[in-house]
Amino acid sequence: MDTPEREKRSIPSIDPAAAGGEGITRRAFIHRSLVAGAALGAASQALFPLISTLDVAYGAQEFRFAWISDTHLYPKTLNTRFVEKAERAVNDVKAMKPAPDFLIFGGDLAQLGDPVELQLGADILKNLSLKKYFIPGEHDWYLDMGATWEKLFGKQPWSFDHKGVRFIGLDTVSRGPDYWSAKKMTPAERMGHMATLDGSVAGPWAGVGADQLQWLAKTLSNWPKDKPVILFSHNPLYEYYPPWNFWVRDWRDVQEVLRPYTKVTNIHGHTHQVLYNEIGTMRSIGMLATSWNWPYPPQGVPALTVPMVRVDPGDHFDGVGWGKLTMTAKERVDYQYMMWRKDVFSQTQVDSGTGDNMNQILSPRFADRP
Amino acid sequence: MKKGWIYAVIVCSVSLGIGLLGAGIGGAHKVKHTPEQLKAFEDVFMEQVKIGDLLFHGDAATEKKLGTKLSRTGMACAMCHPFAVDTHPYEFPKFQEQINKFSTLRDMINWCIEKPNEGEILGADSDAMKALEAYIYWSNRGSKLDPGRH
Ligand SMILES: [Fe+2]
Ligand SMILES: [Fe+2]
């Protein structure tokens, strides 16, 4: 998009000082206190970013970690666009000062689960020498049912404690009900259906599963109820537009296990878009993909989500990026979308990824139905 | 003056219609459609929707059959437009800032083939174009017609 058009799309900037301090830019908006939020709300329109502070009872030193997910790498012989963006995210994380304590890779490293793609991803991420944790996405799994993934990145779920926070990584992808055996699908066909977001064949594949729920309950059982828990999952842990499998089918059971814990933050990938929600005491943050942006579904975007801007389809660096998460000394986590182009949040209806669709009514596809 | 011209056309066609009805002359549109006929029309349409759906989802066999190359990035339309979301067929024609011109749906289909997909654009009246258009409209049926909206 050339300059005059970009200007048409952008809105007069907000004075960072008035907005509650340093570090607030329109490109990478840091979520700050509710007090600052009120000031911002008054200074702008209702569509301006909702301020959402993630309070975490951690009183000592500040630390940061980085999130990269949804790189969806194809073999380099097909296309290098997604490779370039994955490399850019890695270089950005490398350049973080002070360095983050660790990186969480949130799944969908590969596009079609091809070992070549997964190995390419492993090689790109090798350039980061810091500690790395991995959770799988459905695109990493359904060609060889996780064989290559586990060989390269180990098993999930896992948990570790870091500076007063219990971190947990879930596997929300591997327990999809068998839709392939009866139809005698090849592994590539199975993967193809999984990779089609608006397809109907793979069914409600995302789930935590009874065994992993039990593991979660046990893992939390020796953790004080008022201490912070940060839960990583590929898919969001609430009901978000099931026709596109933007959810985890047994999310209610997950909430049941989490209910006693008062400071749970879920950070997830898979939705490739700015997303925020609160379910019970759990706060949920959806991170960007590095590869491409999913549009918002026609219904079900959480009311607490401040939508991101409409994306320029002519610029493949628009609407995508990675994430910085900071546990501050003031006992809260700030999260920052590191989007490579434009502003993150929409500030007018017409530029919003949801607000421009008031006339839209959609029907599910049918060509993949029997 | 322009308005007057449109008015004249409307009056003409309305009276023509009444004339035909009144005269009771047998013609293609005069005879009542049989359920079989209606079904056949519907089938023709849905066949195109289906082809469009497959093209939109990057189906290699359908692309081969129609001789199209809609993408060179590995990405299909549906990866950015699941259920044909955000294709906004009910907003056309409209000024399109990406191409800086007053555009039709077909212009924008071709634009997305050319830009994000790096594929080969379609003839405006080609079979593949009509099928894609059929699928996009069908997926968005019931949406409020609102031409010109950005
Ligand atoms: Fe993804
Ligand atoms: Fe995913």
PDB file of all heavy atoms in Angstrom, chain A residues 128-148:
ATOM      1  N   LEU A 128      18.311 -19.639  17.547  1.00  0.00           N
ATOM      2  CA  LEU A 128      18.043 -19.015  18.843  1.00  0.00           C
ATOM      3  C   LEU A 128      18.678 -19.873  19.919  1.00  0.00           C
ATOM      4  O   LEU A 128      18.290 -21.039  20.087  1.00  0.00           O
ATOM      5  CB  LEU A 128      16.532 -18.946  19.090  1.00  0.00           C
ATOM      6  CG  LEU A 128      15.784 -17.721  18.603  1.00  0.00           C
ATOM      7  CD1 LEU A 128      14.306 -17.898  18.896  1.00  0.00           C
ATOM      8  CD2 LEU A 128      16.313 -16.452  19.243  1.00  0.00           C
ATOM      9  N   SER A 129      19.603 -19.280  20.664  1.00  0.00           N
ATOM     10  CA  SER A 129      20.321 -20.112  21.624  1.00  0.00           C
ATOM     11  C   SER A 129      19.615 -20.182  22.973  1.00  0.00           C
ATOM     12  O   SER A 129      19.989 -20.964  23.825  1.00  0.00           O
ATOM     13  CB  SER A 129      21.744 -19.595  21.784  1.00  0.00           C
ATOM     14  OG  SER A 129      21.682 -18.226  22.130  1.00  0.00           O
ATOM     15  N   LEU A 130      18.563 -19.364  23.156  1.00  0.00           N
ATOM     16  CA  LEU A 130      17.923 -19.386  24.476  1.00  0.00           C
ATOM     17  C   LEU A 130      17.085 -20.644  24.673  1.00  0.00           C
ATOM     18  O   LEU A 130      16.884 -21.424  23.744  1.00  0.00           O
ATOM     19  CB  LEU A 130      17.067 -18.125  24.668  1.00  0.00           C
ATOM     20  CG  LEU A 130      16.106 -17.749  23.551  1.00  0.00           C
ATOM     21  CD1 LEU A 130      14.741 -18.315  23.811  1.00  0.00           C
ATOM     22  CD2 LEU A 130      16.032 -16.238  23.438  1.00  0.00           C
ATOM     23  N   LYS A 131      16.606 -20.810  25.884  1.00  0.00           N
ATOM     24  CA  LYS A 131      15.784 -21.982  26.218  1.00  0.00           C
ATOM     25  C   LYS A 131      14.482 -21.936  25.414  1.00  0.00           C
ATOM     26  O   LYS A 131      13.848 -20.891  25.311  1.00  0.00           O
ATOM     27  CB  LYS A 131      15.498 -21.942  27.723  1.00  0.00           C
ATOM     28  CG  LYS A 131      14.654 -23.074  28.246  1.00  0.00           C
ATOM     29  CD  LYS A 131      15.444 -24.351  28.484  1.00  0.00           C
ATOM     30  CE  LYS A 131      14.501 -25.519  28.711  1.00  0.00           C
ATOM     31  NZ  LYS A 131      14.938 -26.764  28.094  1.00  0.00           N
ATOM     32  N   LYS A 132      14.106 -23.094  24.841  1.00  0.00           N
ATOM     33  CA  LYS A 132      12.899 -23.135  24.006  1.00  0.00           C
ATOM     34  C   LYS A 132      11.944 -24.228  24.480  1.00  0.00           C
ATOM     35  O   LYS A 132      12.372 -25.322  24.826  1.00  0.00           O
ATOM     36  CB  LYS A 132      13.264 -23.414  22.548  1.00  0.00           C
ATOM     37  CG  LYS A 132      14.018 -22.289  21.884  1.00  0.00           C
ATOM     38  CD  LYS A 132      14.366 -22.616  20.438  1.00  0.00           C
ATOM     39  CE  LYS A 132      15.531 -23.548  20.319  1.00  0.00           C
ATOM     40  NZ  LYS A 132      16.811 -22.918  20.076  1.00  0.00           N
ATOM     41  N   TYR A 133      10.672 -23.912  24.486  1.00  0.00           N
ATOM     42  CA  TYR A 133       9.639 -24.900  24.801  1.00  0.00           C
ATOM     43  C   TYR A 133       8.696 -25.015  23.615  1.00  0.00           C
ATOM     44  O   TYR A 133       8.441 -24.029  22.921  1.00  0.00           O
ATOM     45  CB  TYR A 133       8.857 -24.464  26.048  1.00  0.00           C
ATOM     46  CG  TYR A 133       9.706 -24.394  27.283  1.00  0.00           C
ATOM     47  CD1 TYR A 133      10.315 -23.195  27.677  1.00  0.00           C
ATOM     48  CD2 TYR A 133       9.917 -25.527  28.069  1.00  0.00           C
ATOM     49  CE1 TYR A 133      11.112 -23.126  28.802  1.00  0.00           C
ATOM     50  CE2 TYR A 133      10.713 -25.474  29.200  1.00  0.00           C
ATOM     51  CZ  TYR A 133      11.310 -24.270  29.565  1.00  0.00           C
ATOM     52  OH  TYR A 133      12.094 -24.210  30.683  1.00  0.00           O
ATOM     53  N   PHE A 134       8.150 -26.214  23.427  1.00  0.00           N
ATOM     54  CA  PHE A 134       7.323 -26.466  22.239  1.00  0.00           C
ATOM     55  C   PHE A 134       5.991 -27.108  22.591  1.00  0.00           C
ATOM     56  O   PHE A 134       5.929 -27.996  23.421  1.00  0.00           O
ATOM     57  CB  PHE A 134       8.054 -27.419  21.274  1.00  0.00           C
ATOM     58  CG  PHE A 134       9.278 -26.821  20.652  1.00  0.00           C
ATOM     59  CD1 PHE A 134      10.494 -26.862  21.310  1.00  0.00           C
ATOM     60  CD2 PHE A 134       9.216 -26.217  19.403  1.00  0.00           C
ATOM     61  CE1 PHE A 134      11.638 -26.311  20.734  1.00  0.00           C
ATOM     62  CE2 PHE A 134      10.342 -25.665  18.819  1.00  0.00           C
ATOM     63  CZ  PHE A 134      11.553 -25.708  19.489  1.00  0.00           C
ATOM     64  N   ILE A 135       4.941 -26.637  21.934  1.00  0.00           N
ATOM     65  CA  ILE A 135       3.680 -27.384  21.917  1.00  0.00           C
ATOM     66  C   ILE A 135       3.260 -27.540  20.452  1.00  0.00           C
ATOM     67  O   ILE A 135       3.540 -26.668  19.628  1.00  0.00           O
ATOM     68  CB  ILE A 135       2.559 -26.688  22.738  1.00  0.00           C
ATOM     69  CG1 ILE A 135       2.376 -25.232  22.326  1.00  0.00           C
ATOM     70  CG2 ILE A 135       2.826 -26.801  24.232  1.00  0.00           C
ATOM     71  CD1 ILE A 135       1.159 -24.570  22.949  1.00  0.00           C
ATOM     72  N   PRO A 136       2.613 -28.648  20.128  1.00  0.00           N
ATOM     73  CA  PRO A 136       2.309 -28.910  18.712  1.00  0.00           C
ATOM     74  C   PRO A 136       1.012 -28.270  18.239  1.00  0.00           C
ATOM     75  O   PRO A 136       0.096 -28.005  19.018  1.00  0.00           O
ATOM     76  CB  PRO A 136       2.162 -30.439  18.672  1.00  0.00           C
ATOM     77  CG  PRO A 136       1.621 -30.789  20.032  1.00  0.00           C
ATOM     78  CD  PRO A 136       2.189 -29.770  20.995  1.00  0.00           C
ATOM     79  N   GLY A 137       0.943 -28.040  16.920  1.00  0.00           N
ATOM     80  CA  GLY A 137      -0.303 -27.642  16.268  1.00  0.00           C
ATOM     81  C   GLY A 137      -0.789 -28.791  15.401  1.00  0.00           C
ATOM     82  O   GLY A 137      -0.039 -29.747  15.139  1.00  0.00           O
ATOM     83  N   GLU A 138      -2.017 -28.691  14.920  1.00  0.00           N
ATOM     84  CA  GLU A 138      -2.569 -29.795  14.123  1.00  0.00           C
ATOM     85  C   GLU A 138      -1.790 -29.995  12.820  1.00  0.00           C
ATOM     86  O   GLU A 138      -1.672 -31.118  12.329  1.00  0.00           O
ATOM     87  CB  GLU A 138      -4.065 -29.563  13.862  1.00  0.00           C
ATOM     88  CG  GLU A 138      -4.436 -28.512  12.807  1.00  0.00           C
ATOM     89  CD  GLU A 138      -4.374 -27.077  13.337  1.00  0.00           C
ATOM     90  OE1 GLU A 138      -3.796 -26.852  14.424  1.00  0.00           O
ATOM     91  OE2 GLU A 138      -4.894 -26.166  12.646  1.00  0.00           O
ATOM     92  N   HIS A 139      -1.227 -28.938  12.282  1.00  0.00           N
ATOM     93  CA  HIS A 139      -0.461 -29.057  11.037  1.00  0.00           C
ATOM     94  C   HIS A 139       0.858 -29.808  11.233  1.00  0.00           C
ATOM     95  O   HIS A 139       1.477 -30.217  10.261  1.00  0.00           O
ATOM     96  CB  HIS A 139      -0.159 -27.671  10.455  1.00  0.00           C
ATOM     97  CG  HIS A 139      -1.367 -26.985   9.883  1.00  0.00           C
ATOM     98  ND1 HIS A 139      -1.568 -26.820   8.536  1.00  0.00           N
ATOM     99  CD2 HIS A 139      -2.440 -26.428  10.493  1.00  0.00           C
ATOM    100  CE1 HIS A 139      -2.709 -26.189   8.331  1.00  0.00           C
ATOM    101  NE2 HIS A 139      -3.261 -25.932   9.512  1.00  0.00           N
ATOM    102  N   ASP A 140       1.297 -29.918  12.488  1.00  0.00           N
ATOM    103  CA  ASP A 140       2.548 -30.624  12.768  1.00  0.00           C
ATOM    104  C   ASP A 140       2.321 -32.118  12.953  1.00  0.00           C
ATOM    105  O   ASP A 140       3.272 -32.889  13.005  1.00  0.00           O
ATOM    106  CB  ASP A 140       3.171 -30.091  14.073  1.00  0.00           C
ATOM    107  CG  ASP A 140       3.398 -28.599  14.014  1.00  0.00           C
ATOM    108  OD1 ASP A 140       3.863 -28.122  12.962  1.00  0.00           O
ATOM    109  OD2 ASP A 140       3.107 -27.902  15.016  1.00  0.00           O
ATOM    110  N   TRP A 141       1.069 -32.516  13.084  1.00  0.00           N
ATOM    111  CA  TRP A 141       0.766 -33.805  13.672  1.00  0.00           C
ATOM    112  C   TRP A 141       0.230 -34.855  12.713  1.00  0.00           C
ATOM    113  O   TRP A 141       0.598 -36.021  12.768  1.00  0.00           O
ATOM    114  CB  TRP A 141      -0.252 -33.586  14.812  1.00  0.00           C
ATOM    115  CG  TRP A 141      -0.244 -34.707  15.784  1.00  0.00           C
ATOM    116  CD1 TRP A 141      -1.028 -35.830  15.744  1.00  0.00           C
ATOM    117  CD2 TRP A 141       0.628 -34.858  16.905  1.00  0.00           C
ATOM    118  NE1 TRP A 141      -0.707 -36.656  16.791  1.00  0.00           N
ATOM    119  CE2 TRP A 141       0.308 -36.088  17.511  1.00  0.00           C
ATOM    120  CE3 TRP A 141       1.650 -34.066  17.452  1.00  0.00           C
ATOM    121  CZ2 TRP A 141       0.978 -36.539  18.654  1.00  0.00           C
ATOM    122  CZ3 TRP A 141       2.301 -34.518  18.588  1.00  0.00           C
ATOM    123  CH2 TRP A 141       1.959 -35.742  19.171  1.00  0.00           C
ATOM    124  N   TYR A 142      -0.710 -34.472  11.846  1.00  0.00           N
ATOM    125  CA  TYR A 142      -1.587 -35.466  11.230  1.00  0.00           C
ATOM    126  C   TYR A 142      -1.068 -36.119   9.957  1.00  0.00           C
ATOM    127  O   TYR A 142      -1.792 -36.866   9.313  1.00  0.00           O
ATOM    128  CB  TYR A 142      -2.997 -34.880  11.043  1.00  0.00           C
ATOM    129  CG  TYR A 142      -3.757 -34.922  12.357  1.00  0.00           C
ATOM    130  CD1 TYR A 142      -3.610 -33.920  13.308  1.00  0.00           C
ATOM    131  CD2 TYR A 142      -4.555 -36.009  12.674  1.00  0.00           C
ATOM    132  CE1 TYR A 142      -4.251 -33.991  14.526  1.00  0.00           C
ATOM    133  CE2 TYR A 142      -5.210 -36.092  13.894  1.00  0.00           C
ATOM    134  CZ  TYR A 142      -5.057 -35.083  14.812  1.00  0.00           C
ATOM    135  OH  TYR A 142      -5.688 -35.165  16.028  1.00  0.00           O
ATOM    136  N   LEU A 143       0.199 -35.880   9.598  1.00  0.00           N
ATOM    137  CA  LEU A 143       0.766 -36.688   8.519  1.00  0.00           C
ATOM    138  C   LEU A 143       1.279 -38.007   9.103  1.00  0.00           C
ATOM    139  O   LEU A 143       0.877 -39.080   8.673  1.00  0.00           O
ATOM    140  CB  LEU A 143       1.893 -35.939   7.795  1.00  0.00           C
ATOM    141  CG  LEU A 143       2.406 -36.671   6.549  1.00  0.00           C
ATOM    142  CD1 LEU A 143       1.363 -36.649   5.441  1.00  0.00           C
ATOM    143  CD2 LEU A 143       3.712 -36.069   6.035  1.00  0.00           C
ATOM    144  N   ASP A 144       2.121 -37.909  10.144  1.00  0.00           N
ATOM    145  CA  ASP A 144       2.678 -39.141  10.728  1.00  0.00           C
ATOM    146  C   ASP A 144       2.279 -39.303  12.194  1.00  0.00           C
ATOM    147  O   ASP A 144       2.939 -40.003  12.951  1.00  0.00           O
ATOM    148  CB  ASP A 144       4.201 -39.161  10.579  1.00  0.00           C
ATOM    149  CG  ASP A 144       4.870 -37.989  11.304  1.00  0.00           C
ATOM    150  OD1 ASP A 144       4.189 -37.266  12.059  1.00  0.00           O
ATOM    151  OD2 ASP A 144       6.088 -37.793  11.123  1.00  0.00           O
ATOM    152  N   MET A 145       1.174 -38.649  12.572  1.00  0.00           N
ATOM    153  CA  MET A 145       0.638 -38.722  13.933  1.00  0.00           C
ATOM    154  C   MET A 145       1.708 -38.391  14.990  1.00  0.00           C
ATOM    155  O   MET A 145       1.846 -39.057  16.010  1.00  0.00           O
ATOM    156  CB  MET A 145       0.007 -40.091  14.201  1.00  0.00           C
ATOM    157  CG  MET A 145      -1.124 -40.441  13.235  1.00  0.00           C
ATOM    158  SD  MET A 145      -2.365 -39.134  13.055  1.00  0.00           S
ATOM    159  CE  MET A 145      -3.316 -39.315  14.555  1.00  0.00           C
ATOM    160  N   GLY A 146       2.432 -37.338  14.706  1.00  0.00           N
ATOM    161  CA  GLY A 146       3.337 -36.779  15.711  1.00  0.00           C
ATOM    162  C   GLY A 146       4.711 -37.414  15.784  1.00  0.00           C
ATOM    163  O   GLY A 146       5.532 -37.009  16.616  1.00  0.00           O
ATOM    164  N   ALA A 147       4.982 -38.403  14.921  1.00  0.00           N
ATOM    165  CA  ALA A 147       6.259 -39.127  15.038  1.00  0.00           C
ATOM    166  C   ALA A 147       7.457 -38.176  14.866  1.00  0.00           C
ATOM    167  O   ALA A 147       8.357 -38.143  15.718  1.00  0.00           O
ATOM    168  CB  ALA A 147       6.321 -40.254  14.015  1.00  0.00           C
ATOM    169  N   THR A 148       7.463 -37.410  13.784  1.00  0.00           N
ATOM    170  CA  THR A 148       8.590 -36.500  13.548  1.00  0.00           C
ATOM    171  C   THR A 148       8.623 -35.401  14.598  1.00  0.00           C
ATOM    172  O   THR A 148       9.681 -35.028  15.111  1.00  0.00           O
ATOM    173  CB  THR A 148       8.499 -35.869  12.140  1.00  0.00           C
ATOM    174  OG1 THR A 148       8.322 -36.912  11.191  1.00  0.00           O
ATOM    175  CG2 THR A 148       9.734 -35.071  11.816  1.00  0.00           C
TER     176      THR A 148
END
